């Protein structure tokens, strides 16, 4: 007996509220950009430059006392937060201390780290430093530029692939869905002020790859159906295609989410930002594959008779190449 998340045959009208879903996506993208510009991102040490110290103690973290002890060292802006995790022991209390990059220095000196440790030991004798990470301002600026280029290069390569594999309308729809996914992920990080670091960039690239995989599966079935139903209205063919691939879409996303949710709960705070980004990205990526990419293709229109080659049209020369 096979497990089915959806009936073997469905007849859901995914375009019944096309204007509402596409409008909601546009509004969500605008709000995400506004949050990014107005609130900003909580850049991690990779992008902001400075020193991050992870501490562990057997007594509860007194954030006010920790801050007073560190600020007395005159190290500039200091951020202190307590870390919570279900996997911690009952006597394990963890804090994260971030100190801004010092002028003229690529990283905090050993003397500075020792001074901070001595100050915190006076507050909590059981405290110990479990990790110390430092990134200079120059390096952090280069990392931001490289991260942006990495995401843009990945999306550009996907644009070319979809254009050659299908048609330019499909490429525009796929890229619109990817931009939607990336911007909404950055927006939720801005709104919730989750730490944004290199691990998050890796998550964004993972989201781009996962989302385009789902979109290509739907587009490939759509092209087959366009050959088969040459006189059927495009919207009906798209609905049929989405219903035919719905089981695969939900099964793939559902099983992936099961593993991600387990990691999100039990994986620890170190990878929580990375796992949250991928979890959120898969949810919005599945949505965009169904409601964003196809809506864009429907508005632009596509070639209906795939049995006839086009006259040198870009995007159709490699249309018969198997993925």
């Amino acid at each position: 007996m096979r497990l089915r998340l959806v009936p073997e045959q469905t007849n859901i009208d995914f375009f019944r509220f096309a204007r509402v879903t596409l409008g909601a996506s546009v509004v969500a993208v605008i709000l995400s950009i506004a949050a990014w510009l107005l609130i900003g991102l909580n850049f991690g040490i990779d992008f902001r430059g400075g020193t991050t110290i992870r501490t562990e103690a057997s007594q509860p973290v007194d954030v006010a006392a920790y801050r007073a002890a560190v600020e007395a060292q005159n190290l500039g802006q200091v951020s202190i937060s307590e870390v919570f995790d279900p996997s911690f022991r009952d006597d394990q209390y963890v804090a994260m201390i971030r100190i801004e990059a010092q002028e003229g220095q690529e990283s905090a000196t050993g003397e500075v780290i020792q001074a901070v440790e001595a100050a915190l030991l006076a507050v909590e004798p059981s405290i110990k430093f479990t990790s110390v990470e430092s990134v200079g301002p120059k390096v952090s600026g280069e990392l931001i530029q490289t991260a942006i280029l990495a995401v843009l290069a990945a999306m550009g390569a996907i644009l070319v692939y979809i254009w050659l594999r299908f048609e330019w309308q499909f490429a525009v729809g796929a890229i619109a869905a990817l931009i939607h996914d990336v911007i909404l992920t950055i927006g939720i990080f801005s709104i919730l002020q989750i730490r944004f670091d290199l691990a998050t960039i890796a998550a964004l690239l993972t989201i781009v790859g996962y989302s385009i995989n789902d979109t290509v599966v739907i587009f490939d079935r759509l092209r087959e159906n366009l050959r088969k139903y040459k006189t059927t209205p495009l919207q009906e063919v798209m609905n049929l295609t989405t219903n035919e691939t719905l089981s695969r879409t939900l099964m793939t996303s559902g099983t992936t989410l099961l593993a991600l949710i387990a990691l999100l709960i039990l994986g620890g705070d170190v990878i929580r930002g990375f796992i949250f980004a991928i979890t959120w990205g898969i949810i919005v990526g599945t949505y965009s594959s169904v409601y964003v990419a196809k809506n864009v293709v429907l508005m632009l229109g596509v070639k209906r008779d795939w049995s006839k080659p086009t006259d040198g049209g870009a995007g159709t020369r490699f249309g018969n190449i198997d993925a």
Side-chain angles (χ1 to χ4, degrees), residues 37-111:
L37 296 176
L38 298 177
I39 302 175
L41 291 169
N42 179 21
F43 285 116
I45 198 68
D46 298 329
F47 294 141
R48 188 163 50 188
T51 302
T52 296
I53 303 172
R54 182 184 172 94
T55 68
E56 184 177 318
S58 59
Q59 298 298 320
V61 175
D62 187 340
V63 175
Y66 279 28
R67 179 175 290 107
V70 176
E71 288 180 347
Q73 307 301 314
N74 296 320
L75 299 176
Q77 183 179 355
V78 175
S79 173
I80 301 177
S81 59
E82 186 173 1
V83 177
F84 299 94
D85 194 280
S87 63
F88 287 167
R89 303 184 310 271
D90 292 338
D91 62 342
Q92 185 179 10
Y93 299 93
V94 177
M96 197 72 72
I97 303 172
R98 296 184 179 87
I99 304 172
E100 70 174 356
Q102 304 299 299
E103 185 176 355
Q105 297 181 359
E106 287 295 314
S107 62
T109 63
E111 291 78 8

Side-chain angles (χ1 to χ4, degrees), residues 25-289:
S25 294
V26 172
V27 171
V29 168
I30 293 174
L31 291 177
S32 296
I33 295 175
W36 185 5
L37 296 176
L38 298 177
I39 302 175
L41 291 169
N42 179 21
F43 285 116
I45 198 68
D46 298 329
F47 294 141
R48 188 163 50 188
T51 302
T52 296
I53 303 172
R54 182 184 172 94
T55 68
E56 184 177 318
S58 59
Q59 298 298 320
V61 175
D62 187 340
V63 175
Y66 279 28
R67 179 175 290 107
V70 176
E71 288 180 347
Q73 307 301 314
N74 296 320
L75 299 176
Q77 183 179 355
V78 175
S79 173
I80 301 177
S81 59
E82 186 173 1
V83 177
F84 299 94
D85 194 280
S87 63
F88 287 167
R89 303 184 310 271
D90 292 338
D91 62 342
Q92 185 179 10
Y93 299 93
V94 177
M96 197 72 72
I97 303 172
R98 296 184 179 87
I99 304 172
E100 70 174 356
Q102 304 299 299
E103 185 176 355
Q105 297 181 359
E106 287 295 314
S107 62
T109 63
E111 291 78 8
V112 170
I113 301 299
Q114 291 176 2
V116 172
E117 185 175 11
L120 292 174
L121 281 171
V123 175
E124 175 51 60
S126 66
I127 199 169
K128 54 184 179 181
F129 287 11
T130 56
S131 69
V132 178
E133 300 176 359
S134 296
V135 176
K138 181 179 179 180
V139 175
S140 63
E142 293 175 352
L143 288 175
I144 292 176
Q145 296 177 8
T146 303
I148 294 173
L149 290 176
V151 175
L152 293 178
M155 297 179 69
I158 289 171
L159 173 65
V160 174
Y161 167 75
I162 298 296
W163 194 333
L164 296 178
R165 181 75 172 84
F166 300 97
E167 282 191 351
W168 69 267
Q169 295 93 333
F170 288 87
V172 173
I175 289 299
L178 292 183
I179 293 174
H180 168 274
D181 300 343
V182 170
I183 291 179
L184 259 62
T185 302
I186 294 176
I188 198 68
F189 266 70
S190 176
I191 293 171
L192 299 181
Q193 285 295 286
I194 302 172
R195 187 174 59 185
F196 194 92
D197 51 21
L198 284 179
T200 311
I201 297 299
L204 289 177
L205 293 174
T206 304
I207 292 167
V208 167
Y210 192 98
S211 178
I212 199 62
N213 175 69
D214 194 34
T215 302
V216 166
V217 169
I218 297 176
F219 281 174
D220 202 48
R221 179 63 65 86
L222 174 60
R223 189 176 60 180
E224 292 177 3
N225 286 336
L226 286 173
R227 291 194 185 106
K228 189 185 300 183
Y229 306 103
K230 298 177 182 178
T231 60
T232 304
L234 180 58
Q235 181 171 320
E236 293 184 19
V237 178
M238 286 187 167
N239 262 326
L240 174 65
T241 299
T242 308
N243 279 283
E244 289 178 345
T245 58
L246 184 60
S247 178
R248 179 264 176 201
T249 298
L250 293 180
M251 184 65 74
T252 304
S253 299
T255 52
T256 306
L257 285 174
L258 286 177
L260 290 173
I261 291 173
L263 286 172
L264 194 62
I265 297 173
L266 304 174
D269 66 284
V270 175
I271 63 171
R272 181 159 291 126
F274 174 77
I275 299 300
F276 176 82
I278 296 181
T279 303
W280 172 263
I282 286 178
I283 294 173
V284 298
T286 302
Y287 170 87
S288 67
S289 296

